[in-house]
Amino acid sequence: TAEINDINAIYYNPAGLASLKYPELSIFHNELILDSRFENVSVAFPLYGGWFSLTNSLFWVPAFDKIDIEGETTGKVQFYNGVFTPAYAYDFGNFYLGGSLKYIYQKIDTLFLSAFAMDVGILKGMYLYSPFDSPIRNFHVGLSVLNLGTKVKDDPLPRMIRAGASYKPTKWFGFNLDMTENFISTSDLYDFTYLFEESFRVNAGVEFSYSELLFLRAGWRFNDAGKY
C-alpha cells in the first residue's frame, strides 16, 4: 500500500502511480489448475502533470462441454471473470493522491453479471533517519479504500481498507508492512481499529535490489494462512 515506483500500485493503492519515474508496460500470464488461466495487461504514462494507467485482469477457462441430466453433450460452457480499470494519480510534492474506476464483469454459461466500483488512495513520502546512504525520502505511508461500488445482484462487493508503511534504510534494502481489513458497513471500521475481526490481516515483506535491475523479495502473511 505504501510502495512506490511500481505500476502494480494500481491494485493496492492507486495513489502510488504518481510516483512512477518512466512509462511502464506490464504483461502477466499464469496457468493454473484444470487449464484455468489468469491474464493481466497494464500500461501507465504521464498525462496532464500526473500519471494515467489502464489495466485489464481476466481469469478464464477454455470452453468445456455442457452435459444434461441424461449425460448427453448439449453445447459448450464459457466462464470468465474480469475487471477493466482506468486510474489517475497526481503528485502534490511527495504527497500522492489517486483514484481508479472499475468495470467488473463475469460470465457463467448464459448468466452475465457486471458491477462498477471505485478505489481511492493517498500516499505520503518523507525522510526517516538512517545511518546508511538512503533515498532522500525513504519512508512512505499510505492508505487506500477499495471496491466502493454497486452490488452484484443482491451481494455487495468485497470492500476493503488498507494501511501500509514502507521504509528503505539503504538504497538496496527496504521493508513493507500492510494492514488490511474487509468491511461491508461503516460500523466495521471499529474492527480495523481494535483488530478483532477475522478478516483483519497483516502482511510484512522485505526487498533486496541490485543496480535497480535485480530484485529479491520475500514476505509473510499473518492471520491469512501464514505462508510466505
Side-chain angles (χ1 to χ4, degrees), residues 146-217:
L146 311 178
N147 295 325
L148 300 172
T150 62
K151 292 183 178 181
V152 181
K153 284 196 168 182
D154 297 324
D155 297 317
L157 296 173
R159 285 174 284 181
M160 180 184 300
I161 183 171
R162 303 178 64 101
S166 172
Y167 176 53
K168 297 185 177 180
T170 76
K171 294 182 177 180
W172 52 268
F173 170 74
F175 64 87
N176 287 49
L177 182 69
D178 260 24
M179 298 180 293
T180 306
E181 167 77 3
N182 294 336
F183 69 97
I184 299 301
S185 66
T186 54
S187 62
D188 292 337
L189 296 180
Y190 177 90
D191 295 324
F192 184 78
T193 304
Y194 292 93
L195 315 185
F196 292 138
E197 174 61 45
E198 291 181 358
S199 68
F200 179 78
R201 300 181 299 280
V202 177
N203 301 334
V206 295
E207 176 187 89
F208 298 87
S209 64
Y210 176 75
S211 297
E212 291 295 317
L213 292 175
L214 179 65
F215 297 86
L216 176 63
R217 296 172 176 173

Side-chain angles (χ1 to χ4, degrees), residues 11-128:
Y11 177 76
Y12 303 98
N13 183 356
L17 290 172
S19 67
L20 295 180
K21 297 179 180 178
Y22 313 101
E24 290 191 23
L25 171 67
S26 173
I27 301 175
F28 178 86
H29 170 77
N30 189 13
E31 298 195 8
L32 303 166
I33 62 172
L34 300 177
D35 295 326
S36 60
R37 294 165 171 83
F38 181 75
E39 324 282 358
N40 175 268
V41 178
S42 303
V43 61
F45 52 88
L47 182 68
Y48 297 120
W51 284 81
F52 180 73
S53 176
L54 288 172
T55 181
N56 190 70
S57 297
L58 181 69
F59 173 80
W60 65 285
V61 296
F64 52 91
D65 291 337
K66 180 191 295 187
I67 300 175
D68 64 16
I69 195 171
E70 303 296 334
E72 299 294 330
T73 300
T74 60
K76 293 287 187 179
V77 176
Q78 191 176 43
F79 170 80
Y80 57 79
N81 192 345
V83 55
F84 173 74
T85 309
Y88 186 78
Y90 195 88
D91 180 4
F92 293 91
N94 295 296
F95 176 79
Y96 311 113
L97 178 65
S100 65
L101 299 175
K102 296 177 176 178
Y103 173 63
I104 303 164
Y105 53 94
Q106 182 182 70
K107 183 177 183 181
I108 307 175
D109 195 20
T110 59
L111 176 66
F112 183 82
L113 301 172
S114 62
F116 292 91
M118 177 178 65
D119 296 347
V120 293
I122 57 175
L123 183 61
K124 173 63 177 175
M126 62 196 82
Y127 176 75
L128 188 65

